[in-house]
Amino acid sequence: MPELAAVVVDLVNPGTNRAFTYSVPVELAGRVRCGTAVRVPFNKRWLTGYVVPEAAPPVEGVRSIAAVLAEGLFTPAGWELVRWLSERYVCHLVEALRLILPPRAGAQAARARQFKVGLAVPPEEALALSRELERRAPAQARLLKTLAEVPAPLARARLLALADAGADSLKGLLRRGAVSLAAEAPAAAGKNALRADLSCGVPPELTPAQAAAAAAIGAAVKEGNYQAFLLHGVTGSGKTEVYLRALAAALAEGRGGIMLVPEIALTPQTLERFARRFGREVAVLHSALSAGVRYAQWERIRRGEARVVVGARSALFAPLARPGVIILDEEHEPAYKQEESPRYLAREVAGWRARQEGAVLVLGSATPAVETYYYATQGRYRLLTLPERIARRPLPEVTVVDMRAELAAGNRSIFSRNLAQALEETVGRREQAILFLNRRGYSTFVLCRQCGLVASCPRCELALTLHQDSGRLVCHHCGYTALPYRTCPRCGSRYIRDFGCGTERVAAAAAQLLPAARILRLDGDTTVRRGAHDRILSSFAAHEADVLVGTQMVAKGLDFARVSLVGIISADLALHLPDPYAWERTFQLLEQVAGRTGRGEAPGRVILQTYNPAHTSIVCAGRHDYGGFYRAELARRRRHHYPPFAEVVLVRALAPSEEAARRLLEELMARLAAGAVEVEGPAPCPFPKTGDDYRWQAIFKGTDLGELRRRLAVEVPELNAGWRRQGARLSVDVDPMSYL
Ligand code: ADP
Ligand code: ZN
Ligand code: ZN
């Protein structure tokens, strides 16, 4: 009786959302266990699979594992997390499994310099050639077939083993020109990831509030069981120092910790603070690192060489054994939600992992998510508060400027008189200013003043934004670009004008107002090139510029002592979006960006321009009144049945025609017959078309949607398989963070 193993294959379709039984050849016995990557035959092809700790019931005609590709990729605890993720977020097991696998699993990028072999011809051609060679040169045929079935080049030695071929056969193929060799350089072992400055890691003396918070968390870490905290500290109250102490406490217990920061806040500034304190114990994981560097970091964590993991949301899945603490800084950030399958919410996954591994969970924010704060009042999280800034610095004074009154007074500039004057004063005092507008580009839309035509995206049917730097009209939804028109394509008129304002125009207006000032811009357009983000911030930090203009990239995490003015060009951009989170997002963003000033000796001030000065989000941000906003927003959530008072599942149908999107969604609704659940829709999405897809949606709400999720897990993959040829598909978003 051969040994059997349960294997999940790396193929997403409705039939493969489970483990399959394979037999283990004797020569591989001992290497095939949980976390081993294997090569297996599956129907008529070869697939990569992963051995999982599940029962492997005997099956008739069981097939055999062909090779071991890698070992020790995950633990049984990791597999449990995968199972939970798949159930909770209604995704395929392999999609969830990919989260915990090393970057480029099996590629072993960090190994010594080695040759990789790839196809030099398209896979179809390779397969055709393989059939031709089958008789004359069977080993060459096998090599081609193996290569045609894997997406990426394979290491030479592994290819020869998989295809059971010799070096001469490979040489034969090289001579035919069917394959090519590529040398893979070994990864620089995380060297560039971090400037490890070990010199000045002396911790400051804690303030009484910091000390109390650190003591409570430290005691919990020492106990070594799951406990959860909400650290509610105003901007500049020294939350990071509390996180550092919590990590140190975990290290003292012989455990480690995971520190998540929103991707946007992963600046060299932030990383250096951790590197200075923990030196070589720190590993950094985020998407801007090359795969090789990421793999090297992953390996260091797995081997226990680095026990402090700092990174964006995916760092939550780092192979750290028994973390003692898991921390989410700015826990309210939408960046903690993954907007592709598996659509997980890091805050929730962190809670699950902390429970499973007996770790302490710390959620920190100046503006906690309404859900989080509510749970803290219900006792699910213990509330710790840092009510004051370090050194008793006051929070910046906020002046709310009503832009309707500016217009009435004849001021048509994008700067109110107040802001213009404040900018001149600030720069005159050799202090720095940040100007915030959450929209890229020069102007928002381009209009023909004769016939009213608005330049719009032919795919999304939404207005195009003018970008002067690149000299193009750009669709911010799908990336479509076009040349600006000189004459109207409809009526031929030359009266074309652009309206509205983006960061490019703010920077231009600032340059006009302050001719001697040095101005930098930080947004999605100026940070396309690798390293540009860091360069701009370092330059501003070194006071090589007086004004920093930017999108939400300037709103978060920055700690510059010389910034004494923040100008919010328009607080209203997101306020009226058809999204239940629009008010909360606006309040949080305003409070965060306001928090960038007054962090040094000079007192800070904020000028907030708006057309809605009486709106709750604006009024509360103007007073730094988190409590007031929380109460108003909680009441609204209760009235409209949104979290924390209901669970929400958002199902979208995307298709090449509106008709298909509607029919697919209606077919799903018929199959679900969701009785007790409240449903909104089916209806077109707020943005009914993006790119080539028409979009319809249905919103399900209820106090327990477990049954609905289980039904969706069955019906959605089936419908998707059936509709694939029509290019239509459903997507499921549990706890959506964006409804647009
Ligand atoms: P937050 O994350 O709450 O906005 P930070 O952690 O960035 O605040 O801290 C604000 C500033 O105060 C940082 O420059 C930090 O180095 C400094 N700081 C933090 N704690 C102390 C302390 N106990 N004594 C002196 N300075 C501190
Ligand atoms: Zn026209
Ligand atoms: Zn578009």
Side-chain angles (χ1 to χ4, degrees):
M1 187 65 192
E3 194 187 326
L4 299 177
V7 174
V8 168
V9 292
D10 196 354
L11 176 71
V12 177
N13 75 36
T16 57
N17 198 16
R18 65 182 181 90
F20 293 88
T21 298
Y22 283 89
S23 66
V24 182
V26 268
E27 67 274 18
L28 295 181
R31 296 176 67 197
V32 173
R33 16 164 218 238
C34 172
T36 301
V38 292
R39 187 112 183 115
V40 291
F42 189 83
N43 291 339
K44 286 186 188 135
R45 52 174 152 175
W46 289 92
L47 293 176
T48 298
Y50 301 95
V51 179
V52 299
E54 300 269 305
V59 292
E60 216 156 293
V62 66
R63 301 175 81 179
S64 167
I65 291 172
V68 164
L69 303 176
E71 291 172 68
L73 300 182
F74 54 89
T75 60
W79 175 245
E80 259 183 66
L81 176 60
V82 166
R83 291 241 322 236
W84 175 78
L85 282 163
S86 148
E87 205 255 1
R88 173 74 193 143
Y89 296 107
V90 192
C91 69
H92 197 284
L93 281 168
V94 157
E95 287 180 303
L97 185 61
R98 285 177 192 149
L99 293 173
I100 68 164
L101 292 175
R104 284 204 300 174
Q108 310 277 319
R111 261 212 214 135
R113 190 178 177 84
Q114 60 180 349
F115 281 100
K116 297 209 159 201
V117 185
L119 285 178
V121 296
E124 303 79 28
E125 261 183 71
L127 285 172
L129 181 60
S130 159
R131 279 192 292 277
E132 262 181 54
L133 292 174
E134 209 135 41
R135 291 261 173 79
R136 274 183 292 148
Q140 291 190 25
R142 285 197 302 275
L143 282 168
L144 284 170
K145 208 154 164 264
T146 308
L147 282 171
E149 282 161 357
V150 293
L154 281 174
R156 180 176 169 278
R158 173 145 2 101
L159 171 65
L160 295 180
L162 283 177
D164 187 27
D168 283 335
S169 307
L170 184 57
K171 278 193 198 134
L173 286 177
L174 278 165
R175 275 197 302 272
R176 285 180 200 275
V179 302
S180 59
L181 289 180
E184 163 118 4
K191 244 183 295 170
N192 317 330
L194 202 61
R195 272 174 282 152
D197 169 3
L198 309 178
S199 54
C200 48
V202 189
E205 200 174 313
L206 297 181
T207 65
Q210 279 176 319
I217 297 169
V221 170
K222 212 165 162 95
E223 276 173 32
N225 301 320
Y226 171 77
Q227 278 190 62
F229 296 90
L230 167 58
L231 179 64
H232 181 207
V234 298
T235 56
S237 57
K239 294 186 285 296
T240 310
E241 192 54 45
V242 177
Y243 305 146
L244 289 164
R245 301 295 169 108
L247 292 164
L251 287 176
E253 294 301 310
R255 301 173 79 170
I258 299 174
M259 171 79 217
L260 298 191
V261 294
E263 186 92 48
I264 211 165
L266 261 172
T267 61
Q269 230 194 347
T270 311
L271 294 179
E272 257 165 55
R273 280 167 90 173
F274 290 91
R276 259 191 241 132
R277 197 66 59 84
F278 301 115
R280 301 205 160 281
E281 285 278 13
V282 177
V284 180
L285 284 177
H286 62 92
S287 58
L289 301 174
S290 73
V293 172
R294 250 183 320 174
Y295 182 80
Q297 301 275 333
W298 191 93
E299 245 330 290
R300 288 178 60 229
I301 300 165
R302 189 180 63 133
R303 287 201 295 258
E305 294 165 14
R307 290 177 301 165
V308 174
V309 180
V310 183
R313 64 170 184 260
S314 61
L316 193 48
F317 303 102
L320 185 66
R322 291 191 355 94
V325 63
I326 302 179
I327 303 166
L328 272 78
D329 186 27
E330 312 289 4
E331 63 85 30
H332 63 278
E333 273 292 317
Y336 284 130
K337 174 80 186 198
Q338 174 147 302
E339 294 294 356
E340 64 196 54
S341 189
R343 293 186 164 75
Y344 66 89
L345 180 59
R347 187 163 75 216
E348 197 185 32
V349 182
W352 195 88
R353 187 166 178 191
R355 254 176 224 282
Q356 185 199 33
E357 308 199 59
V360 170
L361 175 70
V362 180
L363 304 176
S365 175
T367 52
V370 165
E371 293 90 323
T372 305
Y373 202 87
Y374 176 75
Y375 294 140
T377 65
Q378 302 294 300
R380 198 194 292 190
Y381 307 133
R382 225 173 108 192
L383 182 64
L384 303 168
T385 314
L386 305 179
E388 281 188 349
R389 280 189 162 180
I390 293 296
R392 302 233 146 155
R393 286 184 191 119
L395 283 169
E397 185 193 309
V398 183
T399 309
V400 176
V401 176
D402 184 347
M403 292 305 275
R404 295 170 303 186
E406 288 295 307
L407 196 61
N411 178 13
R412 291 170 172 279
S413 153
I414 59 176
F415 300 130
S416 59
R417 290 160 295 177
N418 231 318
L419 180 53
Q421 194 190 340
L423 273 168
E424 282 170 342
E425 286 167 7
T426 303
V427 173
R429 281 198 301 266
R430 311 238 340 104
E431 292 167 5
Q432 290 178 297
I434 289 180
L435 293 176
F436 166 71
L437 179 66
N438 209 8
R439 183 158 54 208
R440 301 181 286 127
Y442 189 81
S443 44
T444 327
F445 65 99
V446 175
L447 173 98
C448 167
R449 292 207 284 175
Q450 185 137 313
C451 76
L453 179 80
V454 171
S456 57
C457 174
R459 303 163 65 193
C460 309
E461 294 157 24
L462 294 164
L464 295 169
T465 303
L466 177 65
H467 285 241
Q468 251 179 12
D469 279 6
S470 60
R472 305 203 58 105
L473 295 167
V474 180
C475 173
H476 282 190
H477 293 266
C478 74
Y480 169 90
T481 74
L483 283 172
Y485 336 128
R486 293 185 187 283
T487 56
C488 174
R490 186 158 72 191
C491 74
S493 129
R494 286 188 289 123
Y495 298 107
I496 308 285
R497 243 200 79 180
D498 53 298
F499 293 84
C501 176
T503 44
E504 282 182 16
R505 187 149 163 221
V506 176
Q512 207 169 32
L513 177 73
L514 311 163
R518 298 155 300 172
I519 294 163
L520 284 173
R521 207 177 88 221
L522 186 72
D523 60 26
D525 297 319
T526 62
T527 53
V528 175
R529 271 192 277 153
R530 188 177 285 232
H533 189 252
D534 297 351
R535 268 198 304 282
I536 294 170
L537 286 179
S538 306
S539 170
F540 191 63
H543 204 175
E544 290 163 13
D546 308 290
V547 181
L548 178 67
V549 177
T551 54
Q552 55 171 328
M553 286 186 182
V554 303
K556 308 187 178 169
L558 305 184
D559 186 23
F560 298 128
R562 277 177 194 269
V563 173
S564 62
L565 174 68
V566 162
I568 297 169
I569 303 301
S570 171
D572 309 335
L573 290 190
L575 208 49
H576 306 299
L577 291 174
D579 184 319
Y581 287 107
W583 292 16
E584 182 182 32
R585 283 292 146 63
T586 298
F587 171 76
Q588 286 166 340
L589 199 51
L590 295 177
E591 194 56 40
Q592 292 293 332
V593 67
R596 296 315 107 210
T597 180
R599 296 170 80 91
E601 296 293 320
R605 64 184 292 209
V606 178
I607 297 186
L608 186 164
Q609 305 188 149
T610 177
Y611 288 94
N612 299 276
H615 193 286
T616 312
S617 298
I618 309 281
V619 172
C620 292
R623 294 187 195 139
H624 303 299
D625 182 8
Y626 176 79
F629 180 77
Y630 167 74
R631 284 186 294 277
E633 180 67 8
L634 192 72
R636 200 166 75 106
R637 301 275 185 92
R638 195 190 301 267
R639 274 200 305 281
H640 297 290
H641 299 183
Y642 278 109
F645 302 107
E647 267 184 59
V648 177
V649 176
L650 172 62
V651 180
R652 288 202 183 101
L654 295 101
S657 76
E658 173 158 26
E659 170 70 7
R662 183 179 58 76
R663 276 188 27 230
L664 172 54
L665 193 53
E666 279 170 357
E667 200 172 317
L668 173 74
M669 303 302 280
R671 289 192 185 199
L672 291 176
V677 176
E678 185 184 340
V679 190
E680 289 170 20
C685 294
F687 292 125
K689 189 178 180 220
T690 60
D692 296 322
D693 289 318
Y694 287 85
R695 308 159 84 228
W696 272 60
Q697 68 178 28
I699 299 171
F700 300 85
K701 294 180 188 171
T703 45
D704 179 7
L705 298 183
E707 181 52 31
L708 175 77
R709 281 187 277 113
R710 278 186 287 281
R711 301 280 304 144
L712 288 170
V714 176
E715 303 296 350
V716 168
E718 267 185 23
L719 283 167
N720 279 349
W723 282 74
R724 184 174 301 156
R725 297 196 36 219
Q726 280 123 288
R729 66 217 173 268
L730 293 164
S731 77
V732 178
D733 194 349
V734 176
D735 300 329
M737 290 285 276
S738 168
Y739 287 70
L740 298 177

